[in-house]
Amino acid sequence: MILQKLAAYYDRVSADPATADVLPKPGYSLQQVSFCVVLKPDGTLQGFQSVTDGNEKKPRPRKLLVPGQSKPSGSGINPCFLWDNAAYLIGFKADDPKPERTQESFDKFRERTLAAEDEIRSPAFAAVCSFLKSWSPDEARERAGELTDITTNFGVFKIAGEARYVHDDPAVIAWWAAHGDAGGDDSTEGFCLVTGQHEPIAKLHEPKIKGVNGAQSAGALLVSFNAPAYESLGKAQGANAPVGVATTFKYTNALNYLLSRPDRRTGLGDATFTYWSDQPTQLEDFFDPIFGDQPAPKDDAAPEDKQRALQVKTFLEHLRDGHAAGDAFDRESDVGFYVLGLSPNASRLSVRLWEQSTVGQMQKRLTTFMREVEMDGISADYPVTVRRMVNATARIIGDKPDYDSISPRLSGEVIRAVLTGKAFPQELLINVLARIRADSQCTPIRAATLRAVLVRNQGVLVEPYLNKQHPSPAYNCGRVLAVLAFAQEEALGNVNAGVIRRTLGSVMATPGLQLGRLQRAAEVGHIPKLKRSLPDFVRDELASISSQLKDDVPTQLSPVEQSVFMLGFYQQMRFTESIAMQVSSGARVRTRNGEWVRSNGEKQLAELLTKLAIPYAYEPSASLPTGPDRWPDFVVPATDDRKMIFIEYLGMDTPEYNDRWEQKVKAYALGGITEDGGEKGRLLIIDARKGRLDDITIMNLLGKVIPINSINKTEGETE
Amino acid sequence: MPFGIRLHVWGDFALFSRPEFKAERVSYDVITPSAARGVLEAVYWKPEIRWVIDRLRVLRPIRFTSQRRNEVAVKVPANAVGSAMKAGQGNLGIYVEEQRQQRAALLLRDVAYVIEAHFDIVSGEANPAKHLDTFNRRAKAGQAFTRPYLGTRENAAHFALLDGSYEPHDELPADQRNKDLGWMLHDIDFANDRQPRFFHAQLQDGLITVPPFHSEGVRG
């Protein structure tokens, strides 16, 4: 199927008028041309010109479409038609060790050109012929000075005053199409296993494939039988797998084209990946960022680069949120989409990955992936890509990752998992854990990777943000350690990776043996040294985590549980660090239950809920799908007769506060939570923007959604 | 088919090499009739019969994995063997260190198929019941001349005769049940200069109907 789909891609690109000239036509090939011989119309030499690709900063030879295939390697004399290197074209070779051979090459070239003299009726071609008849290599040697620089690659002919090259002359093209490459057409007829037709069968699958990282620079072959062990049933070379000449031409050129475009290929690990779809699709254009790490364009980058970066970001956001960019995606969802991963093996290429699916399926898998790698600390400007996931397993030496320590096979397997939607390689989890243990660092990417593997492979649910009500004891042990680490750092400053960070590995593996001791040490040595209201804050956090743990500290944790521990640690760390700043500066208010709420208004609401014996959680976890403010204020758990209730307290009346509130309402709606009772729950808004409300008013509002008879009043309470 | 058999075949790995990706192997998505015939012949075969594959059913999701192995670049040439036999002595060894080649393979993981086939009597007495009985007995007992394999010898196959006592689970997911698999190798025509023959394989609700070798659908 690979060859068939590549050949179909060739057909698609050639048929599209916008890209019709990008691919070589049968009988032609793309070659690097660095100079041309400019002739006067009568055939005498006017001069030599260098041919570059138009990039003024770094001029390089230009790729031109010339008649015939690449020059074969070897020591024979193989003149090409109307193009060749300087030795054949004009008999010039810089620092020539064998002038007779150069002379011979030139003679053969002249012979080949003159053989068609009578058949091609074109003044340009006639000029070339008369030039070749009168030219001698000695004249070239006289001009060695100007020639040496420009004759690095191949050369072509041009007539002064004409814009096109001689080989592009219509008469020449027509003749070439009719007589073609007389050199190598000894192919026999046979059954092509790609098209199912009887056709001439290719002996060698040329042109070679270039652009695979690590393959030999002259190009490698995808289909080759270059040793006796690879031949079967007495067949030789191409007969081992009969593929038609036309199909061979199509697939090799299509693959070369794909590998030459930086936006259609990525190198990852030991393989190079390329992808395409049956028709032009959005996914084709924006697939690249999933793999690689496109750095955000610098401020002085070209406007096209910035625009592209913005498009990519928008596309990825749409992909993650699942409502991909509108109608275009729906129209395209049945279009076939293919990913091919190639690995080099000296002069051969092996297929590392071949994934054949549709745009819709691929989009679903990518959406799943992006949702799995969401993590507190990952910003949209630096999203988790496959490359970054794999780099998370690299050792960090000093401050920089040591990319050589990454297993090359791992990248391939991770990409396979992402593109097929199947399980991640379990070694990814083990590797990342080992790195965390060795470096004592959990970077956001490592946390995201752990979460992705846990969610996909193990089915263990961990949210992107801290979940204060997570049931797993391992998670809560991690949270404890984070609070203790925070306390130590705040109290003692940066003590050269303090005791707690140093014991991360052992606490992770055997929390039951360590946490008690560490907690006592913190209580004695660290917490009393904290300033202002931080001791209370830390003790409140520990108390609330302990109530989740319920003295159920596990003695030993398996690697999967250790990953959950790690995520608890990481998420609690981020949460604590951000809240602690507010606590220190007095921006937070403590309720009687030990929560640190954002305002006195929220404190009032919290204490009312307690008085009415309504169970609640304050900012339990970031459960809103999008938006800057993901934390619901108060969440009352669901009961048998009603769904979850989300209570939002509005305390300020500034434009930006109101803006954020608007966005939050939208996020609630997206999540299925509305004031009238959506599918996920009901939203209750306590609007105190114009001024603080009194207890009675708030109780009445609460009474509207929570049935009165289920509100137990404590003794001695009057309405 | 009055004298047809149904064999449940499964294994951890399978490698049905595509002809074009023979050096760095890539597997077909499903079992080829040629490989199915190989499994049956390993269980029971005599020169008097010829196995003909009728249908192939795919039972498990099509999953790929890749691996690399060190192999050698040469084969022991047949004429060298011939001349050594005539001469009574000869050097037929391969010096592995000099001929090392690492070859990658993209193979199938966790496969299971049901092979429906029948055999033709090619020579000898026309007693199909005898052959059928022998096959059934051997398949039930787990007997085979050599261990059946899925494509290449190192991918050993497990087999069980489906005689009605149980039906294997069909675990092929809905999005893989209908697929056009392109031109697939049917078998090698050993009678005609060992030419490969291909047929257009279509997976329809998890089933591939294999045309007879000498029919119009099989071309080469």
Side-chain angles (χ1 to χ4, degrees):
Chain A
M1 301 303 289
I2 299 176
L3 304 187
Q4 184 185 1
K5 298 300 178 191
L6 281 171
Y9 182 71
Y10 177 96
D11 288 332
R12 171 199 136 187
V13 174
S14 312
D16 186 350
T19 50
D21 295 326
V22 172
L23 289 174
K25 305 287 174 294
Y28 286 77
S29 60
L30 284 171
Q31 303 292 341
Q32 310 256 42
V33 173
S34 65
F35 74 100
C36 71
V37 181
V38 186
L39 306 174
K40 298 206 193 96
D42 63 357
T44 52
L45 175 72
Q46 184 174 340
F48 299 98
Q49 238 180 32
S50 85
V51 174
T52 58
D53 64 355
N55 183 354
E56 273 133 38
K57 288 199 199 132
K58 260 202 300 182
R60 284 152 75 176
R62 199 193 301 184
K63 277 203 177 137
L64 291 180
L65 212 57
V66 292
Q69 296 305 317
S70 297
K71 292 182 76 68
S73 53
S75 53
I77 309 251
N78 309 297
C80 299
F81 190 66
L82 289 181
W83 67 277
D84 217 314
N85 58 35
Y88 284 80
L89 212 68
I90 48 177
F92 170 76
K93 197 167 159 135
D95 304 321
D96 201 347
K98 274 198 258 188
E100 320 83 48
R101 178 171 163 113
T102 316
Q103 177 74 45
E104 208 190 321
S105 319
F106 176 67
D107 289 335
K108 279 277 181 340
F109 178 82
R110 175 169 51 194
E111 208 181 292
R112 180 168 187 190
T113 318
L114 296 179
E117 189 180 8
D118 296 325
E119 300 179 34
I120 303 185
R121 297 256 162 273
S122 149
F125 190 71
V128 170
C129 288
S130 83
F131 164 76
L132 287 174
K133 281 185 212 164
S134 60
W135 182 258
S136 120
D138 301 318
E139 298 185 49
R141 245 164 285 161
E142 285 165 28
R143 298 161 186 261
E146 61 171 309
L147 280 175
T148 321
D149 286 328
I150 60 176
T151 54
T152 47
N153 291 78
F154 298 116
V156 289
F157 287 104
K158 194 167 160 182
I159 305 297
E162 282 187 31
R164 60 168 183 236
Y165 300 105
V166 176
H167 61 263
D168 288 331
D169 188 286
V172 174
I173 293 180
W175 180 85
W176 183 256
H179 295 94
D181 203 347
D185 213 349
D186 52 354
S187 39
T188 46
E189 284 250 331
F191 179 84
C192 170
L193 54 79
V194 174
T195 59
Q197 310 293 330
H198 251 85
E199 304 174 356
I201 299 300
K203 243 175 57 177
L204 290 174
H205 287 222
E206 302 264 297
K208 295 199 173 144
I209 313 294
K210 295 196 184 148
V212 176
N213 296 348
Q216 63 185 30
S217 49
L221 292 168
L222 187 57
V223 178
S224 89
F225 309 98
N226 58 348
Y230 314 144
E231 297 172 346
S232 334
L233 303 170
K235 315 272 183 236
Q237 291 185 317
N240 277 290
V243 182
V245 169
T247 312
T248 309
F249 180 86
K250 282 186 190 174
Y251 93 74
T252 45
N253 280 294
L255 192 52
N256 269 316
Y257 170 66
L258 282 168
L259 290 170
S260 72
R261 286 182 63 166
D263 60 342
R264 286 286 184 278
R265 72 180 289 287
T266 317
L268 201 65
D270 59 349
T272 307
F273 296 89
T274 181
Y275 37 87
W276 69 95
S277 45
D278 276 336
Q279 292 151 32
T281 56
Q282 268 195 347
L283 189 62
E284 222 187 6
D285 286 329
F286 294 110
F287 199 70
D288 190 35
I290 304 287
F291 283 93
D293 44 357
Q294 267 71 28
K298 302 198 183 54
D299 289 326
D300 58 347
E304 312 93 60
D305 291 341
K306 284 199 190 150
Q307 206 203 21
R308 161 118 184 134
L310 188 61
Q311 283 175 328
V312 164
K313 187 164 155 187
T314 319
F315 179 80
L316 290 179
E317 273 167 24
H318 279 141
L319 205 57
R320 185 196 61 214
D321 296 334
H323 47 86
D327 294 325
F329 239 61
D330 291 323
R331 271 202 308 270
E332 296 172 349
S333 76
D334 281 329
V335 175
F337 190 82
Y338 314 104
V339 185
L340 177 65
L342 296 169
S343 236
N345 187 357
S347 69
R348 292 193 305 273
L349 294 176
S350 65
V351 178
R352 192 84 166 65
L353 172 90
W354 169 244
E355 185 58 26
Q356 196 179 336
S357 67
T358 60
V359 167
Q361 271 180 349
M362 194 55 75
Q363 177 233 321
K364 276 202 202 91
R365 293 169 189 169
L366 294 178
T367 304
T368 312
F369 171 68
M370 297 188 72
R371 291 209 182 128
E372 285 168 354
V373 293
E374 280 190 323
M375 179 56 61
D376 181 6
I378 301 281
S379 72
D381 291 322
Y382 198 76
V384 179
T385 60
V386 176
R387 191 193 299 279
R388 289 191 192 130
M389 262 180 102
V390 173
N391 287 349
T393 63
R395 220 157 36 133
I396 297 189
I397 299 188
D399 255 332
K400 294 218 196 103
D402 171 23
Y403 295 118
D404 291 331
S405 58
I406 303 174
S407 150
R409 257 202 61 246
L410 189 59
S411 325
E413 291 306 309
V414 172
I415 255 287
R416 189 196 303 279
V418 173
L419 295 181
T420 57
K422 300 285 190 293
F424 286 107
Q426 198 66 3
E427 62 178 299
L428 184 62
L429 187 90
I430 306 293
N431 260 317
V432 173
L433 268 183
R435 289 296 167 221
I436 293 174
R437 200 172 310 176
D439 301 337
S440 288
Q441 281 194 45
C442 185
T443 59
I445 297 261
R446 284 179 181 174
T449 310
L450 286 178
R451 175 171 180 256
V453 180
L454 283 173
V455 169
R456 188 187 285 211
N457 286 19
Q458 256 63 45
V460 170
L461 207 53
V462 179
E463 288 83 358
Y465 288 82
L466 176 66
N467 182 1
K468 294 183 195 160
Q469 297 173 315
H470 201 284
S472 154
Y475 187 83
N476 290 314
C477 288
R479 290 178 64 196
V480 170
L481 187 65
V483 178
L484 298 178
F486 166 77
Q488 183 192 33
E489 270 186 45
E490 279 296 303
L492 306 179
N494 191 1
V495 249
N496 207 13
V499 161
I500 285 168
R501 284 289 167 98
R502 261 196 293 139
T503 58
L504 179 62
S506 59
V507 180
M508 196 159 56
T510 52
L513 306 178
Q514 309 270 11
L515 270 183
R517 176 177 67 83
L518 290 171
Q519 260 179 290
R520 282 191 293 278
E523 197 47 62
V524 167
H526 306 146
I527 296 179
K529 296 210 176 99
L530 295 171
K531 307 226 171 56
R532 289 185 283 258
S533 26
L534 280 178
D536 288 330
F537 171 65
V538 169
R539 289 203 187 98
D540 286 332
E541 281 294 300
L542 285 173
S544 83
I545 304 173
S546 296
S547 68
Q548 286 286 319
L549 258 180
K550 298 190 194 28
D551 283 333
D552 188 14
V553 181
T555 344
Q556 237 184 330
L557 294 180
S558 69
V560 169
E561 291 165 335
Q562 288 180 30
S563 316
V564 181
F565 177 102
M566 208 56 237
L567 286 175
F569 175 86
Y570 171 83
Q571 291 178 341
Q572 178 73 41
M573 203 61 179
R574 284 195 65 90
F575 173 80
T576 312
E577 280 170 354
S578 65
I579 302 292
M581 266 199 316
Q582 296 175 359
V583 169
S584 280
S585 62
R588 289 252 168 178
V589 178
R590 186 177 187 277
T591 67
R592 266 186 237 146
N593 275 351
E595 291 122 2
W596 290 80
V597 299
R598 291 171 202 254
S599 64
N600 280 312
E602 286 187 351
K603 175 175 174 187
Q604 176 194 18
L605 180 53
E607 291 179 351
L608 265 176
L609 287 168
T610 315
K611 225 200 297 191
L612 296 172
I614 299 173
Y616 71 91
Y618 178 71
E619 291 190 353
S621 75
S623 18
L624 295 176
T626 55
D629 193 354
R630 294 165 154 254
W631 303 78
D633 289 350
F634 292 87
V635 178
V636 180
T639 61
D640 292 332
D641 12 325
R642 58 166 173 77
K643 298 213 177 83
M644 242 195 269
I645 301 187
F646 293 76
I647 309 178
E648 287 286 330
Y649 186 89
L650 301 175
M652 283 207 297
D653 196 5
T654 65
E656 35 175 274
Y657 187 89
N658 289 331
D659 262 337
R660 286 201 12 231
W661 170 238
E662 291 301 312
Q663 290 197 27
K664 202 169 185 184
V665 174
K666 285 199 198 118
Y668 267 118
L670 262 178
I673 302 159
T674 60
E675 284 191 81
D676 306 312
E679 42 171 68
K680 291 280 167 65
R682 200 178 180 134
L683 178 60
L684 173 63
I685 302 173
I686 312 266
D687 194 342
R689 280 182 284 192
K690 303 289 181 219
R692 281 278 289 279
L693 302 171
D694 61 13
D695 285 1
I696 310 287
T697 323
I698 296 183
M699 281 207 287
N700 283 335
L701 284 169
L702 286 172
K704 289 206 189 106
V705 289
I706 302 167
I708 295 280
N709 35 16
S710 78
I711 295 179
N712 302 318
K713 303 194 188 80
T714 55
E715 276 182 7
E717 188 58 45
T718 51
E719 265 246 65
Chain B
M1 194 85 9
F3 292 117
I5 57 102
R6 293 176 69 225
L7 194 71
H8 179 204
V9 175
W10 69 98
D12 287 332
F13 294 98
L15 178 50
F16 309 111
S17 335
R18 288 179 171 269
E20 63 270 23
F21 296 112
K22 206 186 302 204
E24 308 283 341
R25 302 182 183 94
V26 174
S27 173
Y28 277 112
D29 288 11
V30 297
I31 189 170
T32 57
S34 160
R37 178 176 63 81
V39 171
L40 296 176
E41 288 187 354
V43 175
Y44 173 67
W45 179 79
K46 281 189 134 74
E48 284 95 37
I49 65 169
R50 179 182 55 214
W51 284 105
V52 176
I53 310 295
D54 297 317
R55 305 202 307 181
L56 298 164
R57 179 173 283 285
V58 183
L59 297 174
R60 292 238 195 101
I62 298 170
R63 288 166 48 188
F64 285 90
T65 184
S66 74
Q67 60 183 208
R68 283 185 175 246
R69 284 167 302 188
N70 292 337
E71 302 178 26
V72 289
V74 294
K75 295 188 281 213
V76 178
N79 359 2
V81 178
S83 40
M85 282 164 66
K86 275 205 216 109
Q89 61 180 15
N91 201 350
L92 297 176
I94 299 178
Y95 290 96
V96 163
E97 306 81 28
E98 293 160 21
Q99 306 292 352
R100 271 279 167 248
Q101 284 278 326
Q102 188 174 80
R103 290 166 74 173
L106 190 67
L107 58 162
L108 294 168
R109 189 98 182 68
D110 255 342
V111 298
Y113 305 106
V114 173
I115 303 172
E116 295 178 30
H118 69 277
F119 56 86
D120 292 336
I121 305 275
V122 170
S123 64
E125 71 173 286
N127 189 355
K130 168 183 88 173
H131 294 292
L132 183 66
D133 203 51
T134 315
F135 175 84
N136 284 334
R137 193 176 0 105
R138 287 173 66 87
K140 260 193 262 205
Q143 276 178 284
F145 300 117
T146 61
R147 182 68 191 247
Y149 54 88
L150 294 166
T152 45
R153 270 231 138 83
E154 65 268 15
N155 307 127
H158 305 280
F159 61 94
L161 185 70
L162 292 177
D163 55 0
S165 56
Y166 82 100
E167 269 304 308
H169 287 295
D170 189 340
E171 293 165 33
L172 195 60
D175 61 346
Q176 285 186 339
R177 296 191 80 88
N178 293 294
K179 235 176 163 191
D180 182 349
L181 299 167
W183 288 92
M184 185 195 262
L185 181 75
H186 188 298
D187 216 325
I188 306 285
D189 194 352
F190 291 102
N192 275 331
D193 191 32
R194 298 185 287 182
Q195 284 295 100
R197 297 265 179 263
F198 299 86
F199 75 107
H200 196 153
Q202 313 250 22
L203 196 60
Q204 277 158 344
D205 198 30
L207 192 64
I208 302 173
T209 311
V210 180
F213 194 59
H214 293 289
S215 71
E216 225 202 49
V218 179
R219 307 207 203 137

